[in-house]
Every structure is written in structure tokens, then in C-alpha cells.
Amino acid sequence: MPHPVDTHVGKRIRHRRWMIGMTQQQLADAVGIKFQQIQKYETGANRVSASRLWDISLVLGVPMPFFFDGIEAGQDSGAGMDMAANKEAMYLVRVYNAIPETQRRRLFDLARALSSVA
């Protein structure tokens, strides 16, 4: 059974990879492993070594602590990751980040106005 920390780190890898539009194969190629290993990391089935996590952090463009954000001692590893389970919300965030800054601000204002109506 996977350790909760391994599961959390795997979810964070998947989350970041998906947010930047990278496939498992692309990540695997960039760090010099097979995509099946990335699958195992993302599910928590295999632990990610410190050196491999370092390589992954460089490829994904995040600092090492990113993979541990949202986990506290004694806390369920799923805490703070509910949005990651909602692919529609994840996709929305991904395309939102691809919008130019001025348009993104307008879209944000529109979303805020619509949410106060509902």
C-alpha cells in the first residue's frame, strides 16, 4: 500500500505536468526514464527518489517544496487536492493561464461578477 506522502507527491507531479500541458511521455523523456515509471510515480505505487524529484522539479519548472505543499504531519494526503480530481476545473485553470494578462483580468472580473449573481 502506498505511503500517503508518496501519493501526495505523485498527485502534485501529475497536477503540475497537466497544468503545463506536458504528457507523461514528454516528462519521462526529459528525465531519462520510461513513461510507465511516471505513471507509477503519479499513483504513488513507486516512490520518487530525491535525485529524480530534483530532475522532475527542473523539468516542470517548480521548486522542490512544491511537491510537498498542502501536506502536514498526520494529515490525509488528499487535503487541498480536491480540485485536481475535477478535470474540468483543472482545464479551466490551464487555459486561463494561457490567456494574455489584460484579457485574463477582464475574464476574472466577469467570473467574479457572475459568481455573485449565482
Side-chain angles (χ1 to χ4, degrees):
M1 187 164 174
H3 190 281
V5 172
D6 297 327
T7 303
H8 181 84
V9 168
K11 285 180 182 180
R12 299 290 289 171
I13 292 171
R14 182 180 63 230
H15 168 77
R16 177 62 181 168
R17 178 184 59 75
W18 199 87
M19 290 299 294
I20 63 172
M22 182 178 281
T23 66
Q24 289 178 334
Q25 184 65 57
Q26 290 168 326
L27 178 56
D29 290 345
V31 295
I33 58 176
K34 298 198 180 292
F35 82 92
Q36 293 92 337
Q37 188 62 43
I38 297 296
Q39 288 176 328
K40 292 175 183 178
Y41 289 157
E42 290 184 357
T43 62
N46 283 12
R47 290 182 173 163
V48 185
S49 70
S51 58
R52 180 79 70 216
L53 193 58
W54 177 264
D55 293 341
I56 290 171
S57 74
L58 293 175
V59 171
L60 296 179
V62 293
M64 289 283 287
F66 169 85
F67 301 108
F68 301 96
D69 285 350
I71 192 166
E72 300 293 328
Q75 218 181 25
D76 180 9
S77 67
M81 290 300 293
D82 291 340
M83 191 175 90
N86 184 340
K87 288 193 177 204
E88 186 176 286
M90 295 285 292
Y91 183 75
L92 183 60
V93 170
R94 186 171 152 193
V95 296
Y96 175 82
N97 286 331
I99 297 171
E101 180 65 35
T102 55
Q103 293 172 339
R104 188 173 27 199
R105 192 71 185 129
R106 289 181 193 158
L107 181 59
F108 178 78
D109 293 339
L110 174 63
R112 187 173 39 199
L114 290 173
S115 68
S116 66
V117 172

